[in-house]
Amino acid sequence: TIGLTLPILATGAASLKAASDYEETKNKAVVVFGSMADSILENSNRAASAMGMSKKEYLDYASSLGAAFTAGGMGIEESAKLAEQAVKHFADLASFHNAEVSDVAAAWQSAIRGQYEPIQKYFPFITDSYLKTYGIANGMIDSNTKNLTANQRAIIINAIALNEQLNPALNDFAETSDGLANSTRQMQAELKNALIMLGQNLLPIALK
């Protein structure tokens, strides 16, 4: 009895925490993205198969970026688009470089703040001067720009990541999704989603 009861209780507790964490992250996304939240939530439900990350992870990365972009003066629609593109880049770069998505996300966010060393693991050429040169050449900033804002860095880095010549990892997750590494990522993400679903079903009982 103990051998059965303890694992069931442990799974129940873990699932309740997963569901609670997801609801908090979901609420954060709704606040950050406002009118765009429904689209973000819908896309998060496909993140496990498309990017190998759980819906909670997808919303967490996207809403953190979106909050930073809107704080910097970017509109909600543009911030939602840019944040979702960035999250896709996280999955592609992690797949291509056999890295953890969380490490890629941390490096990306550091680059937006002007700390480029972490992201140079994935884009060795990225420096402040390179971003300025690329931004000016592609009409994203004025030629007399001296100091880049966080949002300008985010826009330019995203443009670089969308450039096939500069980013060989573009679309790598989708192209290699049937491989062992990405299949494992998908399976792990689906398991996390299943734990959230179990917790959501148990939550009303736990509240009573």
Side-chain angles (χ1 to χ4, degrees):
T1 302
I2 293 174
L4 290 173
T5 303
L6 292 181
I8 290 172
L9 289 174
T11 301
S15 65
L16 287 171
K17 184 180 186 306
S20 177
D21 291 346
Y22 169 72
E23 289 300 327
E24 290 183 6
T25 304
K26 178 182 175 181
N27 290 336
K28 177 183 175 182
V30 169
V31 171
V32 169
F33 294 112
S35 60
M36 297 296 295
D38 287 345
S39 175
I40 303 289
L41 292 173
E42 183 178 346
N43 290 336
S44 73
N45 291 326
R46 296 190 288 267
S49 59
M51 303 179 194
M53 62 182 74
S54 71
K55 57 185 180 180
K56 190 265 182 185
E57 291 167 332
Y58 183 93
L59 292 177
D60 197 15
Y61 293 134
S63 57
S64 294
L65 289 169
F69 298 154
T70 54
M74 188 179 293
I76 290 178
E77 186 173 348
E78 185 181 2
S79 69
K81 180 180 179 181
L82 187 59
E84 289 200 286
Q85 286 181 332
V87 177
K88 180 182 179 299
H89 295 320
F90 298 168
D92 286 336
L93 288 165
S95 171
F96 186 80
H97 293 278
N98 193 28
E100 295 295 329
V101 173
S102 58
D103 291 339
V104 178
W108 195 281
Q109 291 167 329
S110 293
I112 291 173
R113 295 191 298 269
Q115 300 167 357
Y116 303 113
E117 185 176 352
I119 205 170
Q120 288 171 353
K121 179 178 180 180
Y122 313 105
F123 298 101
F125 52 85
I126 284 186
T127 61
D128 194 67
S129 60
Y130 184 89
L131 293 184
K132 289 177 185 176
T133 301
Y134 191 92
I136 292 170
N138 290 275
M140 288 178 278
I141 57 174
D142 296 330
S143 58
N144 58 355
T145 300
K146 293 183 179 180
N147 297 312
L148 294 171
T149 67
N151 281 0
Q152 286 172 331
R153 293 189 196 99
I155 291 169
I156 296 170
I157 292 171
N158 183 66
I160 290 171
L162 289 171
N163 187 321
E164 292 183 1
Q165 294 180 333
L166 297 176
N167 181 22
L170 186 63
N171 298 321
D172 188 78
F173 187 92
E175 293 171 358
T176 61
S177 60
D178 57 347
L180 178 60
N182 285 339
S183 294
T184 301
R185 294 178 197 267
Q186 290 171 322
M187 180 184 67
Q188 291 173 337
E190 293 288 7
L191 288 173
K192 291 176 183 177
N193 287 344
L195 199 63
I196 291 170
M197 184 180 297
L198 176 61
Q200 289 173 324
N201 290 326
L202 291 176
L203 197 55
I205 301 171
L207 290 174
K208 288 181 181 179

